[in-house]
């Protein structure tokens, strides 16, 4: 007979960890007497990070006393107390390899439904004083699981746990956990999992992504990888011959390139970018810059377009030192800011040099003679600083359902309204309304950070769903450091104790390079943090793939080995170490 042994609650509090402040509710304590169960939580309980924990489908976390005994033996520990694994219910019975997603249980006067296995993060490692714990829990199959509260009520230690309803599709917690985190993702089992009505939305989305990706060896885990890592390519730079250099505006030039040996190029997806490795001198360190491919998709030649900033190192180098006939080291096309198929309207929304990736998308739509509604909205300073104006007009003229709207923030005296531009000022919600941009459109947004923040706000105010707004950020995606609070953002920099020995690690988007020192860093994630490079992570143990990103060049090893290796051309920075000089897409 299954029984509730302990009811454990705890409110979030701040703790110190690795020189940072983490807000967390991982410390749970047993409740004397009975406890009220509400739809989203137990009375007196809370989560410090609602993005990763809590909510309707993760209202109550359940862990088994048999698993306590297992970990006491495995870890040679005798100091466990109720709530040790951050669980709300410590139970006798209900093993993960017998309980199925969708099973319903009556405990006290409350009714519960099983929704998903536990997803472990680094905080369980803090609670257990064992950094490997996220990986140990997930790989063991002893994760525990979450309840959804079907009927509110009261529970207390000693209550019998009564099975009152079984899921129609019988898949256990352990099976569901292994299906996502092990290297094997059989399609028939993924389809079975998607028939489990009670499965939480997050797990359902992961399995849907795996079904769409057609999992194969070396492809990584599409159910876990972040969007930025979804189009991996082989690492390395190859020599490209500069065929032509064209002036697009007062401060933008385009370089057209082909393979130096005349061979075929990897065909890019519309919106992708390449990384250039530039060398100021024969003895100086190389530096790296990312540039969108601004021309039509081609296996014969690439076009990149560069804004010439007054003090920009890369633009200055390209303007002063590169001529037709020069050879540049260029990566394969990469990036996930790409035009998606379908029939929905397309909004290409840009400012300044942000036009480059959406221009490639416009080329693709024109090449396909697309019947989709296409809206081109662009913001520039004036005609002199308006690149690709004639090219865009030509492409739009080939599309049946295309409309254009151009704003100049400071029109020149010779700039003609209705010919060069449509309105003075800045793009705003009013422009979206005036042009009749559909709320259900797929939006592709690129430009300066302030512009993108304003336009995202305007789009959201009109009712465009967040998943319809695709954004390109060349400076890297915002950090994801769950639970870390009160940490002011700093510009990326070399670490104070950087030496001139060890492999050189270059963070391409951040423009920072530092030497790897094995005695100082346990992983490339720790080096990135020492450089204040924006990073994304959760488990820090090779489980969740939140930190997966592109390996632009070089070689790494993963120590410890992750539960499932990332796709070829990617790495997990939380457990990767460099073998040679490396360039990382961060």
């Amino acid at each position: 007979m299954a029984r509730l042994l302990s009811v454990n609650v705890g409110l979030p509090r701040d703790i110190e960890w690795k020189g940072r402040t983490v807000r967390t509710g991982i410390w749970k304590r047993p409740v004397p007497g009975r406890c009220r169960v509400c739809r989203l939580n137990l009375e007196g309980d809370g989560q410090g990070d609602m993005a990763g924990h809590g909510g309707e489908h993760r209202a109550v976390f359940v862990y088994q006393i048999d698993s306590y005994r297992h970990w006491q033996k495995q870890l040679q520990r005798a100091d466990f107390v109720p709530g040790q694994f951050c669980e709300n219910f410590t139970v006798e019975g209900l093993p993960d390899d017998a309980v199925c997603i969708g099973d319903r249980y009556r405990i006290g006067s409350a009714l519960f439904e099983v929704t998903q296995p536990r997803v472990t993060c680094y905080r369980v490692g803090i609670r257990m004083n064992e950094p490997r714990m996220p990986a140990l829990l997930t790989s063991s199959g002893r994760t525990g699981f979450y309840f959804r509260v079907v009927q509110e009520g009261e529970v207390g230690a000693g209550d019998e746990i009564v099975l009152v309803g079984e899921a129609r599709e019988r898949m256990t917690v352990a099976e569901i956990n292994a299906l996502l985190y092990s290297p094997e993702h059989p399609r028939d089992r993924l389809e079975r999992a998607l028939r489990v009505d009670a499965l939480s939305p997050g797990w359902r989305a992961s399995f849907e992504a795996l079904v769409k990706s057609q999992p194969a060896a070396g492809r990584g885990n599409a159910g876990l990888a972040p969007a930025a890592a979804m189009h991996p390519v082989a690492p390395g730079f190859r020599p490209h011959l500069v065929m032509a250099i064209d002036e697009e505006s007062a401060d933008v030039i385009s370089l057209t390139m082909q393979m130096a040996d005349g061979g075929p190029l990897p065909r890019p997806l519309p919106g992708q970018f390449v990384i250039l490795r530039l060398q100021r001198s024969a003895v100086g360190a190389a530096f790296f810059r990312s540039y969108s491919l601004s021309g039509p998709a081609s296996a014969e030649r690439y076009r990149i377009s560069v804004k010439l900033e007054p003090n920009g190192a890369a633009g200055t180098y390209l303007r002063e030192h590169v001529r037709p006939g020069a050879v540049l080291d260029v990566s394969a096309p990469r990036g996930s800011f790409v035009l998606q198929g379908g029939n929905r309207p397309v909004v290409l929304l840009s400012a300044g040099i942000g036009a480059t990736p959406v221009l490639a998308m416009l080329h693709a739509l024109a090449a396909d003679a697309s019947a989709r509604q296409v809206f081109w909205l662009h913001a520039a300073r004036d005609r002199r600083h308006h690149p690709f104006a004639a090219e865009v007009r030509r492409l739009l003229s080939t599309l049946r359902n295309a409309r254009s709207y151009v704003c100049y923030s400071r029109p020149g005296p010779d700039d003609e309204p209705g010919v060069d531009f449509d309105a003075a000022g800045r793009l705003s919600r009013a422009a979206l309304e005036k042009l009749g941009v559909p709320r259900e459109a797929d939006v592709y947004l690129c430009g300066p950070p302030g512009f993108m923040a304003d336009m995202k706000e305007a789009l959201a105010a009109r009712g465009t769903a967040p998943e319809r707004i695709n954004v390109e950020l060349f400076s890297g995606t915002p950090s994801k450091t769950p639970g870390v609070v009160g940490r002011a953002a700093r510009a990326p920099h070399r670490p104070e104790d950087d030496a001139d020995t060890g492999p050189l690690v270059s963070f391409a988007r951040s423009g920072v390079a530092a030497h790897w020192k094995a005695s100082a860093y346990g992983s490339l994630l720790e080096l990135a943090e020492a450089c204040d490079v924006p990073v994304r992570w959760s488990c820090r143990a090779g489980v969740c793939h939140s930190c997966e990103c592109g390996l632009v060049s070089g070689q790494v090893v993963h120590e410890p080995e992750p539960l499932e290796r990332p796709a070829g051309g990617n790495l997990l920075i939380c457990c990767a170490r460099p073998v040679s000089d490396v360039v990382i897409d961060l």
Side-chain angles (χ1 to χ4, degrees):
M1 180 179 67
R3 188 168 298 279
L4 180 59
L5 302 180
S6 179
V7 179
N8 315 299
V9 301
L11 292 174
R13 58 189 172 100
D14 292 344
I15 63 168
E16 293 301 312
W17 172 77
K18 293 183 179 289
R20 284 169 273 196
T21 300
V22 174
R23 187 157 184 79
T24 177
I26 57 176
W27 270 272
K28 309 292 185 187
R29 297 289 184 269
V31 175
R34 303 194 69 73
C35 180
R36 179 72 182 172
V37 178
C38 301
R39 186 176 71 87
L40 298 179
N41 227 328
L42 302 182
E43 189 174 36
D45 194 46
Q47 294 82 28
D49 169 28
M50 291 302 295
H53 303 280
E56 179 184 356
H57 292 86
R58 298 175 295 195
V60 179
F61 175 49
V62 181
Y63 208 60
Q64 306 87 357
I65 197 67
D66 183 62
S67 292
Y68 267 70
R69 301 183 185 113
H70 170 83
W71 293 117
Q72 284 175 323
K73 181 178 180 181
Q74 290 293 316
L75 301 176
Q76 299 182 350
R77 300 257 306 258
D79 59 341
F80 291 172
V81 296
Q84 183 76 38
F85 292 86
C86 322
E87 79 275 12
N88 298 114
F89 289 175
T90 312
V91 302
E92 179 78 62
L94 303 189
D96 290 346
D97 59 0
V99 170
C100 290
I101 306 297
D103 285 350
R104 290 191 170 194
Y105 294 91
R106 172 76 63 182
I107 308 175
S109 60
L111 179 64
F112 304 90
E113 182 178 66
V114 181
T115 57
Q116 67 168 69
R118 179 199 195 148
V119 176
T120 56
C121 74
Y122 74 107
R123 281 161 291 200
V124 71
I126 296 175
R127 178 67 179 90
M128 295 294 296
N129 196 28
E130 173 51 79
R132 301 175 300 156
M133 209 64 212
L136 294 174
L137 285 166
T138 304
S139 61
S140 71
R142 295 176 176 270
T143 61
F145 55 86
Y146 280 104
F147 275 149
R148 179 173 73 90
V149 178
V150 179
Q151 178 182 309
E152 297 182 349
E154 290 188 346
V155 299
D159 284 351
E160 184 179 355
I161 302 174
V162 181
L163 177 66
V164 295
E166 291 189 338
R168 287 178 296 177
E169 194 71 52
R170 306 296 294 164
M171 293 193 76
T172 68
V173 170
E175 286 178 298
I176 289 288
N177 179 74
L179 187 58
L180 180 58
Y181 288 106
S182 72
E184 300 298 325
H185 313 283
R187 187 182 183 89
D188 61 332
R189 298 191 65 76
L190 291 170
E191 291 174 344
R192 272 194 65 199
L194 290 171
R195 292 197 294 270
V196 178
D197 294 335
L199 187 65
S200 67
W203 282 72
R204 183 174 300 279
S206 292
F207 290 143
E208 288 172 346
L210 282 167
V211 168
K212 292 176 183 176
S213 73
Q214 300 178 336
R219 290 271 190 91
N221 190 323
L224 296 174
M230 291 304 291
H231 296 284
V233 295
F237 292 91
R238 300 173 72 182
H240 287 56
L241 182 68
V242 177
M243 304 297 295
I245 301 177
D246 299 298
E247 289 192 11
E248 305 290 357
S249 69
D251 59 355
V252 174
I253 61 171
S254 288
L255 281 68
T256 301
M257 304 174 291
Q258 67 178 38
M259 284 294 297
D261 62 6
L265 294 163
R267 191 176 183 87
L269 298 172
Q272 288 191 309
F273 64 91
V274 294
I275 298 174
L276 271 59
R277 178 169 60 190
L278 304 173
Q279 194 88 29
R280 291 188 183 93
S281 65
V283 295
F287 64 107
F288 304 88
R289 291 295 185 271
S290 302
Y291 296 109
S292 292
L293 295 167
S294 59
S298 169
E300 297 176 356
R301 56 188 58 197
Y302 292 159
R303 185 182 74 176
I304 62 170
S305 300
V306 181
K307 184 177 181 181
L308 304 175
E309 300 284 1
N311 298 308
T316 299
Y317 176 86
L318 294 171
R319 182 184 61 217
E320 295 181 356
H321 298 284
V322 176
R323 300 289 182 268
V327 175
L328 297 174
D329 290 336
V330 183
S331 76
R334 59 179 62 242
S336 299
F337 182 71
V338 297
L339 180 67
Q340 303 295 322
N343 298 316
R344 283 192 296 269
V346 176
V347 179
L348 305 176
L349 180 53
S350 62
I353 196 61
T356 53
V358 294
L359 177 57
M361 297 178 186
L362 183 60
H363 271 284
L365 292 163
D368 290 342
S370 176
R372 298 169 74 174
Q373 279 187 290
V374 177
F375 297 85
W376 175 272
L377 293 93
H378 181 71
R381 184 191 309 174
D382 53 31
R383 185 174 62 184
R384 291 186 64 248
H385 298 87
H386 182 187
F388 319 115
E391 183 176 338
V392 167
R393 284 194 289 268
R394 175 178 58 80
L395 293 169
L396 291 172
S397 70
T398 68
L399 295 168
R400 291 180 295 179
N401 296 313
R403 298 187 66 184
S404 172
Y405 194 86
V406 175
C407 284
Y408 283 176
S409 59
R410 285 180 281 172
D414 298 327
D415 296 347
E416 189 174 348
V419 177
D420 298 312
F421 67 106
D422 298 289
R426 301 182 182 277
L427 284 175
S428 63
R429 180 179 177 181
L432 300 174
E433 300 283 3
K434 183 174 182 178
L435 204 59
V437 171
R439 290 168 176 78
E440 72 277 10
D442 289 332
V443 180
Y444 299 89
L445 173 60
C446 188
F451 165 81
M452 290 197 291
D454 290 345
M455 295 314 301
K456 285 176 69 175
E457 182 178 342
L459 288 161
R462 297 187 72 245
T464 300
E467 61 270 20
R468 294 274 181 260
I469 304 173
N470 304 278
V471 177
E472 178 65 296
L473 295 169
F474 281 118
S475 58
T477 54
S479 289
K480 176 188 175 184
T481 55
V484 177
V485 296
R487 193 174 178 87
R490 297 177 60 193
H493 57 87
R494 292 178 66 182
E496 295 178 0
D497 60 348
D498 191 36
D500 290 331
T501 60
L504 184 66
V505 179
S506 299
F507 299 102
R509 291 180 184 244
S510 299
V512 171
H515 290 86
W516 170 258
K517 187 162 56 175
S519 61
Y521 309 113
S523 66
L524 283 166
L525 171 57
E526 293 185 4
L527 175 59
E529 290 175 326
C531 297
D532 282 305
V533 168
V535 289
R536 298 173 66 82
W537 50 264
S538 181
C539 73
R540 301 179 74 97
V543 178
C544 71
H545 287 238
S546 294
C547 70
E548 185 172 342
C549 54
L551 180 62
V552 181
S553 71
Q555 291 182 311
V556 300
V557 293
H558 288 94
E559 297 175 357
E561 187 71 17
L563 298 190
E564 182 171 7
R565 293 186 67 84
N570 286 348
L571 76 161
L572 302 181
I573 62 167
C574 76
C575 56
R577 298 166 173 247
V579 174
S580 62
D581 290 354
V582 296
V583 180
I584 302 172
D585 187 24
L586 283 175

